[in-house]
Amino acid sequence: MAEEKTYVEDVDRSLYDFRNEDKDSFKLDEGLTPEIVKQISEEKNDPEWMKDFRLKALEIYNKMGVPDWGPSIEGLDMDNIVTYVRANTHMSATWDEVPEEIKDTFERLGIPQAERESLAGVGAQYDSELVYHNVKKEVADQGVVYTDLESALWGPHADMIKEHFMKLITPRDHKFAALHGAVWSGGSFVYVPPGVSVEIPLQSYFRLNAPGAGQFEHTLIIVDEGAYLHFIEGCSAPKYNIANLHAGAVELFVGKNATLRYSTIENWSKNMYNLNTKRATVEEGGKVEWISGSFGSHVSYLYPESRLMGRGARAEFTGVTFAGNGQNLDTGCKMLQAAPDTSSFVSTRSISKDGGISTFRSSVVITEAAKNSKSAVSCESLMIDDISQSDTIPAMDIRTADADVGHEAKIGRISDDAVFYLMSRGLSEEDAKALIVSGFADNVSKELPLEYAVEMNNLIRLEMKGSIG
Amino acid sequence: MSMRINYLPAPTWNWLKMNFKEVDEWQGKKEDAKITLPEGVTLTTLEDAENSDKSFDFNEVGTGMGPEIGKIIDDSKVATQRFVCEENREIETPVFVDLNYDGEDENGNQNYVNSYEVLLKENSSATFVFCYSSKKKSIALNQVKFIVEKNAKLSLVQLHMLGDEFNMFSDVGVRIDENANVSQVNLFIGGEKIYNGFRADLAGKYSSIESDYGYIVKGEEELDINYVANHLGKKTNSDILVNGVLRDKGKKMFRGTIDLRRGGKEAVGAENEDVLMIDEGVRNQTVPLILCTEEDVSGTHGATIGKIDEDLMFYLQSRGLAKEYIYEMMAEARIKYVINKIENENLRNRCLSFLGYDKDVEVENEVEVIGSRGEN
């Protein structure tokens, strides 16, 4: 039985923690000034309206305060963050053209392999710029546009981007949305034409290599009437001793009777401040499905929002958050139901271990116009030890009597009986607990494509390793 | 000047406007309550009582509204009155504090402030009833702090039966020691604006609290509730069940927090709210929090908000009942469920009569009065 008691070790993150030497890259100075913002705009060859937009966003950023309700972000000093880092390369459409070291990074993360096996298109961002973008010909032939946002600003869809860019997430939303508006760089633009169903997923992968840098990619997806898309977002970074910042933005426009599934496995390093904003607007009969796994980051503020603006629009949010040592992950979702017959469904699990803090935060707002709307929220939390913390902060604001809203939450520990049973079947205590936690998080893993579900379960196994002392 | 009351112990997004309630500061004078004082209970006014027992620090007992409400009591220069229940004594007759704010005032419209401390000594048991009523246009605050000592048992009833021009602040804090128990009924059936705070510190091992809240918010009334159960001791238990009805343009905010603190092993906390929304124009806000820093605990919360369940509605309609009648019946059933938790029959009848549910019940409005009006 001795092998069932193990020493509490740090999680093995070697899969993500390797780093490339920060050389030959172009960097702007640390901090945030109008000059730096103008420089970013010039580097990126922005249209004039975008340059003006950035400077306006910077003004808003300077006027807004940091959030006073969530985890502390005192360790984040914007004067020390480099907002723009460009590797010494340009964007390629074949992996052969990507510099060896960067290609090796993505090889080790399994991106080209996944592209060959199970993806319709891939975008790979390294620090502030995309280094690879490609979409399969048969998907492109359907009229699907999947490209980097910068190129799209000058391409045939320039007007469409101008019409949608930061209209859903505006710089006035909060301080880090304003920051994003000022210094955004990289990210993808996807347009799926009416009636087109993209059978296999598209994926963007974001890798932040430079220490003390920020990543501010912007993802803009428009799924037109009756179309279908599954988009996968992955992110990771090596660990440094200084703070890194991720303040991306994801804007999703789901058209009439269209469906968009947006899956994320977030595994930033544990020095990362992940202050990301994601929002979808859904028209009549449309549906947005969020699948979200949060494993990394030092501090996270992440609450994908669904705005159900058309009759019969639907939203689902399925999430798991795993907070370990030194992590304060404040995650959840927001639902705004502003049209009749809308429905929202939320199912989340959170796990706290080794002093980690996990907070589930949500809002469900059903307006006067949302007659005959429904909402169901379920959140469960698991405490692995008594040095961790787990909070549940759901809010409901219901403004019509013609609504049906249900909410349930539970918090507790791993059942001793379940561990005992599994151990009696021959599992070690560690494996038994890891199995129970994997099962606890199966609301997310069963919604992911197989290879991502396997990766997520591996992450849980890694996180659970050494949890028994 | 304004002040913030009914804080969420862990705030959320400011745009939701749920983190606290901002109200104007005001001052008032003490209302001379009619008090029924059974044997085994003493009552003193603290500024007069040189010999009163000062070994109990009620300043450590926090209340649901939070510290800022204390400014109204301080500014109003109202003396706190203290009840003490003898140890090892089971006091069967309820301590009835009737705060009827309809008395004549020399200065016309008058605001009222009352502050009480209640000590239930070891192995005692007692029932305290605070009844707030008025047909006037006015504002009142009643704050009560309890210390419930080892093995003591407190039954607390608060009845809010106020007119549609009355603003009421009712604020309670209770410290519950080892193996002590509190059960409470908190009923809100009238008042233009009612702000209610309740905080229980389950300090002792095996301490427990059960709460039943019931409300009907109608017309243009507003109800703002903050309930906090802090599980500090081991094997503590808290349970709150809230049943409510919103109609006309009624607005209600319910903040409910179960805080399972580190060290409070084997604590169990539960909260549940069931809200029936009848008319368009109503607004319901609910924030049920579970905060947890202890592994060996269990916390649950649930909420059901909105219209009557479709299957139930279909069944009742299939039995020949009209939709409107079904809503009235369900509303009445919900609030009667809470009223029936009140042990005293006369109080139950008073509530039913106020709501117009039981026209034929006999209601005794008079209570035994200690002193001319108040205890002095």
Side-chain angles (χ1 to χ4, degrees):
Chain A
M1 296 293 282
E3 68 177 30
E4 286 156 12
K5 298 284 177 188
T6 57
Y7 175 70
V8 179
E9 289 180 75
D10 249 359
V11 168
D12 173 12
R13 285 180 45 90
S14 56
L15 177 63
Y16 305 98
D17 263 350
F18 64 92
R19 60 180 82 160
N20 298 334
E21 200 180 332
D22 183 33
K23 60 174 186 184
D24 300 332
S25 56
F26 171 81
K27 276 186 185 183
L28 293 182
D29 290 342
E30 296 166 346
L32 198 55
T33 62
E35 288 65 40
I36 284 178
V37 171
K38 280 180 199 163
Q39 244 181 309
I40 292 173
S41 192
E42 277 167 29
E43 280 296 321
K44 303 188 71 62
N45 191 25
D46 276 346
E48 197 60 25
W49 70 266
M50 182 60 81
K51 183 178 158 191
D52 295 342
F53 183 91
R54 286 179 187 276
L55 290 167
K56 188 89 186 156
L58 179 65
E59 275 178 33
I60 296 168
Y61 170 82
N62 286 328
K63 286 179 191 159
M64 291 181 109
V66 295
D68 56 0
W69 42 266
S72 167
I73 52 171
E74 275 181 6
L76 179 68
D77 182 354
M78 279 311 296
D79 290 340
N80 294 329
I81 294 285
V82 180
T83 50
Y84 184 77
V85 182
R86 189 185 66 222
N88 194 14
T89 181
H90 57 90
M91 196 183 77
S92 309
T94 66
W95 283 107
D96 290 343
E97 291 175 23
V98 176
E100 200 59 35
E101 193 178 47
I102 297 174
K103 189 170 78 175
D104 183 50
T105 300
F106 287 103
E107 286 283 1
R108 290 168 75 170
L109 294 166
I111 306 305
Q113 186 192 352
E115 182 185 10
R116 285 191 295 274
E117 292 174 1
S118 58
L119 295 170
V122 161
Q125 180 158 338
Y126 192 83
D127 292 331
S128 298
E129 293 289 356
L130 281 132
V131 293
Y132 176 83
H133 226 292
N134 192 27
V135 61
K136 282 193 174 159
K137 185 174 178 302
E138 54 268 37
V139 176
D141 287 348
Q142 287 179 291
V144 175
V145 178
Y146 180 37
T147 179
D148 64 301
L149 200 54
E150 285 86 348
S151 313
L153 274 170
W154 292 102
H157 295 87
D159 290 343
M160 188 185 270
I161 291 170
K162 189 175 178 185
E163 189 188 331
H164 291 88
F165 181 84
M166 290 205 83
K167 294 293 191 296
L168 201 48
I169 300 168
T170 73
R172 293 193 183 278
D173 279 5
H174 56 82
K175 191 173 183 72
F176 295 96
L179 173 66
H180 176 90
V183 301
W184 76 271
S185 177
S188 300
F189 169 66
V190 183
Y191 174 70
V192 185
V196 171
S197 180
V198 184
E199 300 293 341
I200 44 178
L202 301 176
Q203 181 179 22
S204 281
Y205 199 96
F206 303 103
R207 176 75 177 175
L208 182 55
N209 185 66
Q215 195 169 54
F216 307 96
E217 85 288 351
H218 193 97
T219 303
L220 177 60
I221 300 177
I222 300 167
V223 184
D224 218 324
E225 188 173 337
Y228 173 84
L229 173 69
H230 183 185
F231 191 88
I232 299 172
E233 175 194 79
C235 23
S236 70
K239 183 165 183 177
Y240 295 102
N241 290 326
I242 53 172
N244 275 26
L245 168 64
H246 176 232
V250 174
E251 293 185 290
L252 311 178
F253 294 84
V254 182
K256 190 175 173 183
N257 297 323
T259 299
L260 171 58
R261 170 171 278 221
Y262 195 93
S263 303
T264 308
I265 295 292
E266 180 270 300
N267 192 29
W268 292 114
S269 58
K270 292 178 183 177
N271 60 318
M272 179 68 85
Y273 286 80
N274 183 31
L275 312 173
N276 210 7
T277 313
K278 298 180 177 183
R279 194 166 293 160
T281 182
V282 188
E283 291 177 26
E284 185 180 338
K287 184 179 185 187
V288 63
E289 302 168 345
W290 302 92
I291 316 293
S292 179
S294 294
F295 294 88
S297 304
H298 170 51
V299 168
S300 212
Y301 282 69
L302 183 62
Y303 326 97
E305 178 175 355
S306 307
R307 294 185 172 179
L308 306 180
M309 308 307 288
R311 179 182 286 273
R314 290 172 294 160
E316 286 183 13
F317 179 86
T318 310
V320 62
T321 297
F322 197 127
N325 186 18
Q327 292 183 279
N328 190 341
L329 306 186
D330 203 297
T331 60
C333 63
K334 300 179 191 172
M335 295 288 177
L336 170 66
Q337 297 177 230
D341 305 323
T342 56
S343 65
S344 64
F345 178 76
V346 178
S347 169
T348 69
R349 305 282 189 274
S350 50
I351 300 141
S352 307
K353 175 186 157 285
D354 262 357
I357 302 171
S358 158
T359 302
F360 168 76
R361 192 183 298 274
S362 70
S363 68
V364 173
V365 178
I366 298 183
T367 69
E368 294 90 335
K371 304 278 181 271
N372 194 34
S373 287
K374 293 180 178 169
S375 172
V377 178
S378 165
C379 52
E380 293 186 32
S381 307
L382 197 57
M383 290 280 284
I384 305 287
D385 53 46
D386 59 4
I387 55 170
S388 304
Q389 183 176 336
S390 182
D391 295 340
T392 305
I393 308 176
M396 288 158 271
D397 188 348
I398 316 302
R399 302 176 193 177
T400 174
D402 192 5
D404 189 353
V405 179
H407 176 90
E408 60 178 31
K410 269 198 280 196
I411 193 158
R413 63 196 293 237
I414 293 179
S415 150
D416 288 339
D417 289 348
V419 174
F420 177 76
Y421 172 76
L422 289 170
M423 288 175 71
S424 76
R425 312 299 287 180
L427 268 65
S428 69
E429 190 178 347
E430 186 177 277
D431 286 345
K433 287 198 169 181
L435 187 64
I436 290 167
V437 173
S438 291
F440 181 72
D442 79 340
N443 66 324
V444 167
S445 56
K446 74 185 181 191
E447 296 294 336
L448 289 169
L450 181 63
E451 48 272 42
Y452 294 91
V454 169
E455 185 192 341
M456 198 191 94
N457 279 330
N458 280 340
L459 278 170
I460 289 174
R461 198 174 47 77
L462 284 172
E463 296 280 356
M464 288 300 295
K465 197 169 174 60
S467 65
I468 302 153
Chain B
M1 291 284 284
S2 65
M3 62 169 68
R4 291 174 176 185
I5 59 169
N6 282 359
Y7 294 84
L8 267 186
T12 188
W13 296 295
N14 293 313
W15 59 267
L16 283 166
K17 299 193 186 325
M18 292 181 173
N19 286 333
F20 50 81
K21 183 72 186 178
E22 191 144 12
V23 293
D24 290 334
E25 285 181 13
W26 53 276
Q27 292 175 23
K29 67 150 198 162
K30 190 179 124 200
E31 164 66 5
D32 291 333
K34 292 179 182 176
I35 299 175
T36 306
L37 202 63
E39 276 189 39
V41 185
T42 59
L43 177 60
T44 49
T45 300
L46 290 187
E47 64 180 7
D48 300 339
E50 289 178 5
N51 298 323
S52 70
D53 193 340
K54 294 188 170 60
S55 60
F56 302 97
D57 187 3
F58 278 88
N59 288 328
E60 286 183 5
V61 180
T63 63
M65 282 192 177
E68 287 187 37
I69 197 73
K71 192 164 188 318
I72 292 179
I73 297 171
D74 294 344
D75 290 351
S76 302
K77 297 183 172 58
V78 169
T80 297
Q81 293 174 283
R82 180 181 289 175
F83 294 94
V84 178
C85 300
E86 275 180 28
E87 62 189 350
N88 302 319
R89 184 151 183 172
E90 199 172 310
I91 299 153
E92 289 186 358
T93 307
V95 178
F96 187 67
V97 181
D98 192 6
L99 286 158
N100 178 281
Y101 300 104
D102 282 339
E104 290 299 319
D105 294 303
E106 294 166 9
N107 305 322
N109 283 341
Q110 179 69 56
N111 302 331
Y112 304 96
V113 178
N114 288 75
S115 166
Y116 296 99
E117 293 173 354
V118 180
L119 173 65
L120 271 78
K121 289 193 167 179
E122 278 190 27
N123 298 311
S124 65
S125 80
T127 298
F128 277 79
V129 179
F130 291 87
C131 185
Y132 314 113
S133 59
S134 177
K135 294 186 176 71
K136 281 200 329 189
K137 177 183 168 69
S138 190
I139 306 175
L141 162 66
N142 184 49
Q143 185 180 68
V144 192
K145 292 181 176 182
F146 292 91
I147 293 178
V148 186
E149 289 192 337
K150 189 176 174 182
N151 298 327
K153 200 168 184 322
L154 166 68
S155 175
L156 170 65
V157 178
Q158 285 189 90
L159 305 176
H160 302 75
M161 299 192 290
L162 298 149
D164 56 12
E165 290 187 304
F166 202 93
N167 290 2
M168 182 75 210
F169 294 70
S170 52
D171 185 29
V172 171
V174 53
R175 189 191 85 198
I176 313 172
D177 292 346
E178 185 178 336
N179 205 35
N181 169 262
V182 174
S183 62
Q184 67 157 332
V185 174
N186 211 344
L187 193 67
F188 309 90
I189 49 179
E192 183 189 27
K193 287 180 182 162
I194 300 181
Y195 308 101
N196 178 258
F198 181 86
R199 172 176 145 181
D201 287 348
L202 294 135
K205 192 175 179 183
Y206 289 111
S207 56
S208 60
I209 179 164
E210 300 96 45
S211 305
D212 279 283
Y213 280 39
Y215 58 80
I216 290 186
V217 183
K218 59 193 182 301
E220 299 203 352
E221 293 174 355
E222 283 182 42
L223 173 61
D224 191 287
I225 299 173
N226 193 33
Y227 163 92
V228 181
N230 293 321
H231 291 257
L232 308 168
K234 289 178 182 165
K235 303 188 182 196
T236 54
N237 194 308
S238 75
D239 194 353
I240 180 171
L241 192 59
V242 184
N243 269 286
V245 179
L246 300 179
R247 55 193 322 164
D248 307 324
K249 291 185 177 172
K251 289 181 187 163
K252 185 235 68 183
M253 165 84 228
F254 174 73
R255 304 176 193 83
T257 302
I258 298 169
D259 194 350
L260 300 157
R261 303 268 182 95
R262 191 161 294 141
K265 291 197 180 298
E266 295 185 53
V268 178
E271 60 179 310
N272 214 307
E273 190 185 15
D274 201 348
V275 189
L276 178 61
M277 298 169 76
I278 294 184
D279 299 311
E280 285 305 318
V282 297
R283 182 170 180 185
N284 176 76
Q285 292 175 293
T286 299
V287 203
L289 270 60
I290 303 181
L291 311 177
C292 180
T293 47
E294 172 58 54
E295 174 210 11
D296 189 7
V297 292
S298 163
T300 56
H301 64 68
T304 312
I305 302 160
K307 55 190 177 184
I308 292 171
D309 176 69
E310 282 174 11
D311 291 341
L312 178 63
M313 178 59 89
F314 177 77
Y315 172 76
L316 292 171
Q317 284 183 309
S318 76
R319 310 301 286 180
L321 301 177
K323 197 172 176 179
E324 294 70 26
Y325 179 80
I326 294 167
Y327 269 98
E328 292 304 324
M329 183 176 76
M330 296 305 288
E332 190 175 328
R334 269 160 212 256
I335 208 71
K336 276 187 174 173
Y337 172 82
V338 182
I339 291 172
N340 285 335
K341 299 270 180 179
I342 303 169
E343 284 188 10
N344 184 293
E345 188 185 358
N346 186 43
L347 282 178
R348 284 201 304 273
N349 289 342
R350 217 171 141 174
C351 296
L352 293 172
S353 172
F354 183 87
L355 288 166
Y357 284 153
D358 285 36
K359 304 250 185 246
D360 51 347
V361 296
E362 286 187 21
V363 181
E364 295 173 35
N365 276 314
E366 290 302 311
V367 293
E368 190 181 342
V369 179
I370 307 298
S372 58
R373 208 170 137 74
E375 86 287 11
N376 295 320

